[in-house]
Amino acid sequence: MKNVVLLGSTGSIGTSTLKVVEDLLGHLRLIGLAAGNNVDLLLEQARKHSPATLSISDPAKAKQLQDALGTGTRVYAGDEGLIKLATLPEADIVLIAIVGTAGLQPALAAIRAGKDIAVASKEILVMAGEIVMAEAKKHGVRVLAVDSEHSAIFQCLDDKPASSVRNLWLTASGGPFRDKAQWPKEKFNEITVERALKHPSWVMGRKITIDSATLFNKGLEMIEARWLFDIEMARVQVVVHPQSIVHSMVEFVDGSIIAQMSTPDMCLPIQYALTYPERVGSDRVQTNFAKIGSLTFEEPDTERFPALKLARRAGEVGGTLPAVLNAANEVAVEAFCKRQIGFPQITTTVARVMEHHKVIAHPTLAQILEADTWARAEAARA
Ligand SMILES: NC(=O)c1ccc[n+]([C@@H]2O[C@H](COP(=O)([O-])OP(=O)(O)OC[C@H]3O[C@@H](n4cnc5c(N)ncnc54)[C@H](OP(=O)(O)O)[C@@H]3O)[C@@H](O)[C@H]2O)c1
């Protein structure tokens, strides 16, 4: 039985994780849940799963939870609450599914407390992948991927060293604006928030859905792969695969390519991360190739979606530049969602902020956080 702490339980990954825990009751036990603002859903989850410890951003909401649940449950608040949960002595694994970079400090705290971490929040690895992976090595803990692409690569690699890899192939659905005839670059100005939020194959949180429309999501994933698998950016490739059945592939030095496939359902990579190294039986995900019919692949269009080029540059240059790309993108996505900027300006904002940044190589955590703050302020400037 593994004791699981889940940070970000009220989000898309969080609620899928709770389904996995319900599927595997004899294997997984939830001991801690943390959320941002959604006190009603967190309370409902706490009543159903009875974790001993909870945390929520706002102290007033923490009090509300404590009053509703009584003294049998410990309730914490804010950033300190996330750290408390991430370091619970009974925890075996901490799944981090908080959108954005708020999960970075809890991730480092969990690693330093000797916990394996399962990372959905790719922003953490984009921002501070070098530090996170070095800390994990130092403390002898695993950093397991929850992103479906990275879970696929992890499964395909099967412990083979980076020296046996020619290329990692990340698949991308291409997002809602993949069709060039329907969405030429000149029409990108007309893209509304509602339209960008309609993803063709996945139902996800708001930020990652917009990132999938700009292809920044794939760009972030390229940098995430670079750190998770300790491989240089030149060997991280992207191919568009609209059916989202092949979740990613590894091309080995002998030319053999291994892919991991299934109908798209985040419960599968979540389950694999939580039960690794075991494979535990579950009927949740079924794949019928005869019904799927065909799988297609195409080159990504970096002219309409420059996010991929920006991310490749950030990953290649390294240092503080990936953190800057990530922070500028977060601010620009938020501004787009508030209708303050248009869809094409998400990418132009990120490019402008990256252009103005003075990169620090092999930065400390403090320097990364400083670069993140600088990039947010720079991105917010009209
Ligand atoms: N969704 C997917 O299919 C998918 C796939 C791969 C990777 N990911 C990655 O997983 C992460 C989460 O994505 P998502 O789609 O699940 O996002 P989401 O639906 O927007 O959920 C975000 C979660 O983070 C919580 N949160 C936000 N700020 C917090 C804070 N300061 N303290 C504690 N909790 C906080 C939210 O709480 P409240 O709702 O209570 O405010 C919510 O539970 C992202 O990094 C994303 O890139 C997602």
PDB file of all heavy atoms in Angstrom, residues 199-212:
ATOM      1  N   HIS A 199     -10.423  22.090 -26.901  1.00  0.00           N
ATOM      2  CA  HIS A 199      -9.339  21.201 -27.364  1.00  0.00           C
ATOM      3  C   HIS A 199      -9.932  19.971 -28.046  1.00  0.00           C
ATOM      4  O   HIS A 199     -10.929  19.423 -27.575  1.00  0.00           O
ATOM      5  CB  HIS A 199      -8.465  20.768 -26.173  1.00  0.00           C
ATOM      6  CG  HIS A 199      -7.176  20.146 -26.610  1.00  0.00           C
ATOM      7  ND1 HIS A 199      -7.084  18.814 -26.946  1.00  0.00           N
ATOM      8  CD2 HIS A 199      -5.961  20.680 -26.807  1.00  0.00           C
ATOM      9  CE1 HIS A 199      -5.830  18.565 -27.314  1.00  0.00           C
ATOM     10  NE2 HIS A 199      -5.127  19.674 -27.240  1.00  0.00           N
ATOM     11  N   PRO A 200      -9.319  19.546 -29.186  1.00  0.00           N
ATOM     12  CA  PRO A 200      -9.907  18.423 -29.921  1.00  0.00           C
ATOM     13  C   PRO A 200      -9.844  17.069 -29.208  1.00  0.00           C
ATOM     14  O   PRO A 200     -10.725  16.240 -29.406  1.00  0.00           O
ATOM     15  CB  PRO A 200      -9.092  18.377 -31.223  1.00  0.00           C
ATOM     16  CG  PRO A 200      -7.844  19.142 -30.956  1.00  0.00           C
ATOM     17  CD  PRO A 200      -8.170  20.140 -29.901  1.00  0.00           C
ATOM     18  N   SER A 201      -8.818  16.790 -28.392  1.00  0.00           N
ATOM     19  CA  SER A 201      -8.749  15.437 -27.821  1.00  0.00           C
ATOM     20  C   SER A 201      -8.701  15.339 -26.302  1.00  0.00           C
ATOM     21  O   SER A 201      -8.985  14.287 -25.765  1.00  0.00           O
ATOM     22  CB  SER A 201      -7.552  14.657 -28.399  1.00  0.00           C
ATOM     23  OG  SER A 201      -6.559  15.472 -28.925  1.00  0.00           O
ATOM     24  N   TRP A 202      -8.343  16.409 -25.586  1.00  0.00           N
ATOM     25  CA  TRP A 202      -8.196  16.294 -24.133  1.00  0.00           C
ATOM     26  C   TRP A 202      -9.084  17.332 -23.431  1.00  0.00           C
ATOM     27  O   TRP A 202      -9.229  18.448 -23.918  1.00  0.00           O
ATOM     28  CB  TRP A 202      -6.751  16.574 -23.713  1.00  0.00           C
ATOM     29  CG  TRP A 202      -5.708  15.635 -24.242  1.00  0.00           C
ATOM     30  CD1 TRP A 202      -4.956  15.797 -25.365  1.00  0.00           C
ATOM     31  CD2 TRP A 202      -5.262  14.395 -23.654  1.00  0.00           C
ATOM     32  NE1 TRP A 202      -4.082  14.741 -25.510  1.00  0.00           N
ATOM     33  CE2 TRP A 202      -4.245  13.868 -24.475  1.00  0.00           C
ATOM     34  CE3 TRP A 202      -5.632  13.688 -22.501  1.00  0.00           C
ATOM     35  CZ2 TRP A 202      -3.593  12.669 -24.197  1.00  0.00           C
ATOM     36  CZ3 TRP A 202      -4.977  12.499 -22.222  1.00  0.00           C
ATOM     37  CH2 TRP A 202      -3.979  12.001 -23.064  1.00  0.00           C
ATOM     38  N   VAL A 203      -9.634  16.949 -22.268  1.00  0.00           N
ATOM     39  CA  VAL A 203     -10.336  17.926 -21.416  1.00  0.00           C
ATOM     40  C   VAL A 203      -9.386  18.231 -20.266  1.00  0.00           C
ATOM     41  O   VAL A 203      -9.054  17.350 -19.478  1.00  0.00           O
ATOM     42  CB  VAL A 203     -11.668  17.346 -20.864  1.00  0.00           C
ATOM     43  CG1 VAL A 203     -12.356  18.360 -19.976  1.00  0.00           C
ATOM     44  CG2 VAL A 203     -12.563  16.927 -22.017  1.00  0.00           C
ATOM     45  N   MET A 204      -8.930  19.485 -20.170  1.00  0.00           N
ATOM     46  CA  MET A 204      -7.862  19.813 -19.211  1.00  0.00           C
ATOM     47  C   MET A 204      -8.166  21.163 -18.567  1.00  0.00           C
ATOM     48  O   MET A 204      -9.133  21.833 -18.917  1.00  0.00           O
ATOM     49  CB  MET A 204      -6.513  19.905 -19.943  1.00  0.00           C
ATOM     50  CG  MET A 204      -6.194  18.721 -20.811  1.00  0.00           C
ATOM     51  SD  MET A 204      -4.645  18.901 -21.702  1.00  0.00           S
ATOM     52  CE  MET A 204      -5.071  20.049 -22.981  1.00  0.00           C
ATOM     53  N   GLY A 205      -7.292  21.583 -17.655  1.00  0.00           N
ATOM     54  CA  GLY A 205      -7.425  22.900 -17.038  1.00  0.00           C
ATOM     55  C   GLY A 205      -7.224  24.002 -18.077  1.00  0.00           C
ATOM     56  O   GLY A 205      -6.744  23.757 -19.184  1.00  0.00           O
ATOM     57  N   ARG A 206      -7.594  25.237 -17.680  1.00  0.00           N
ATOM     58  CA  ARG A 206      -7.617  26.362 -18.620  1.00  0.00           C
ATOM     59  C   ARG A 206      -6.226  26.713 -19.168  1.00  0.00           C
ATOM     60  O   ARG A 206      -6.042  26.869 -20.363  1.00  0.00           O
ATOM     61  CB  ARG A 206      -8.210  27.565 -17.876  1.00  0.00           C
ATOM     62  CG  ARG A 206      -8.622  28.698 -18.761  1.00  0.00           C
ATOM     63  CD  ARG A 206      -9.222  29.792 -17.926  1.00  0.00           C
ATOM     64  NE  ARG A 206      -8.213  30.340 -17.015  1.00  0.00           N
ATOM     65  CZ  ARG A 206      -8.248  31.568 -16.512  1.00  0.00           C
ATOM     66  NH1 ARG A 206      -9.247  32.356 -16.805  1.00  0.00           N
ATOM     67  NH2 ARG A 206      -7.302  32.001 -15.705  1.00  0.00           N
ATOM     68  N   LYS A 207      -5.236  26.803 -18.265  1.00  0.00           N
ATOM     69  CA  LYS A 207      -3.895  27.231 -18.696  1.00  0.00           C
ATOM     70  C   LYS A 207      -3.304  26.253 -19.726  1.00  0.00           C
ATOM     71  O   LYS A 207      -2.836  26.657 -20.793  1.00  0.00           O
ATOM     72  CB  LYS A 207      -2.988  27.357 -17.461  1.00  0.00           C
ATOM     73  CG  LYS A 207      -1.489  27.225 -17.720  1.00  0.00           C
ATOM     74  CD  LYS A 207      -0.781  28.486 -17.944  1.00  0.00           C
ATOM     75  CE  LYS A 207       0.707  28.515 -18.089  1.00  0.00           C
ATOM     76  NZ  LYS A 207       1.495  27.369 -18.462  1.00  0.00           N
ATOM     77  N   ILE A 208      -3.353  24.965 -19.424  1.00  0.00           N
ATOM     78  CA  ILE A 208      -2.746  23.981 -20.336  1.00  0.00           C
ATOM     79  C   ILE A 208      -3.530  23.901 -21.651  1.00  0.00           C
ATOM     80  O   ILE A 208      -2.964  23.641 -22.709  1.00  0.00           O
ATOM     81  CB  ILE A 208      -2.590  22.590 -19.655  1.00  0.00           C
ATOM     82  CG1 ILE A 208      -1.845  21.621 -20.574  1.00  0.00           C
ATOM     83  CG2 ILE A 208      -3.880  22.018 -19.199  1.00  0.00           C
ATOM     84  CD1 ILE A 208      -1.492  20.280 -19.953  1.00  0.00           C
ATOM     85  N   THR A 209      -4.825  24.191 -21.604  1.00  0.00           N
ATOM     86  CA  THR A 209      -5.617  24.151 -22.846  1.00  0.00           C
ATOM     87  C   THR A 209      -5.204  25.297 -23.764  1.00  0.00           C
ATOM     88  O   THR A 209      -5.047  25.113 -24.978  1.00  0.00           O
ATOM     89  CB  THR A 209      -7.131  24.204 -22.529  1.00  0.00           C
ATOM     90  OG1 THR A 209      -7.419  23.172 -21.585  1.00  0.00           O
ATOM     91  CG2 THR A 209      -7.965  23.970 -23.768  1.00  0.00           C
ATOM     92  N   ILE A 210      -4.991  26.479 -23.197  1.00  0.00           N
ATOM     93  CA  ILE A 210      -4.510  27.608 -24.023  1.00  0.00           C
ATOM     94  C   ILE A 210      -3.086  27.297 -24.514  1.00  0.00           C
ATOM     95  O   ILE A 210      -2.756  27.529 -25.683  1.00  0.00           O
ATOM     96  CB  ILE A 210      -4.523  28.940 -23.228  1.00  0.00           C
ATOM     97  CG1 ILE A 210      -5.933  29.269 -22.707  1.00  0.00           C
ATOM     98  CG2 ILE A 210      -3.966  30.091 -24.078  1.00  0.00           C
ATOM     99  CD1 ILE A 210      -6.968  29.541 -23.765  1.00  0.00           C
ATOM    100  N   ASP A 211      -2.262  26.723 -23.628  1.00  0.00           N
ATOM    101  CA  ASP A 211      -0.894  26.353 -24.032  1.00  0.00           C
ATOM    102  C   ASP A 211      -0.914  25.339 -25.181  1.00  0.00           C
ATOM    103  O   ASP A 211       0.003  25.317 -26.008  1.00  0.00           O
ATOM    104  CB  ASP A 211      -0.124  25.735 -22.857  1.00  0.00           C
ATOM    105  CG  ASP A 211       0.341  26.774 -21.847  1.00  0.00           C
ATOM    106  OD1 ASP A 211       0.274  27.973 -22.141  1.00  0.00           O
ATOM    107  OD2 ASP A 211       0.784  26.362 -20.748  1.00  0.00           O
ATOM    108  N   SER A 212      -1.926  24.492 -25.212  1.00  0.00           N
ATOM    109  CA  SER A 212      -2.015  23.510 -26.298  1.00  0.00           C
ATOM    110  C   SER A 212      -2.408  24.194 -27.602  1.00  0.00           C
ATOM    111  O   SER A 212      -2.027  23.748 -28.684  1.00  0.00           O
ATOM    112  CB  SER A 212      -3.046  22.431 -25.964  1.00  0.00           C
ATOM    113  OG  SER A 212      -2.656  21.768 -24.803  1.00  0.00           O
TER     114      SER A 212
END
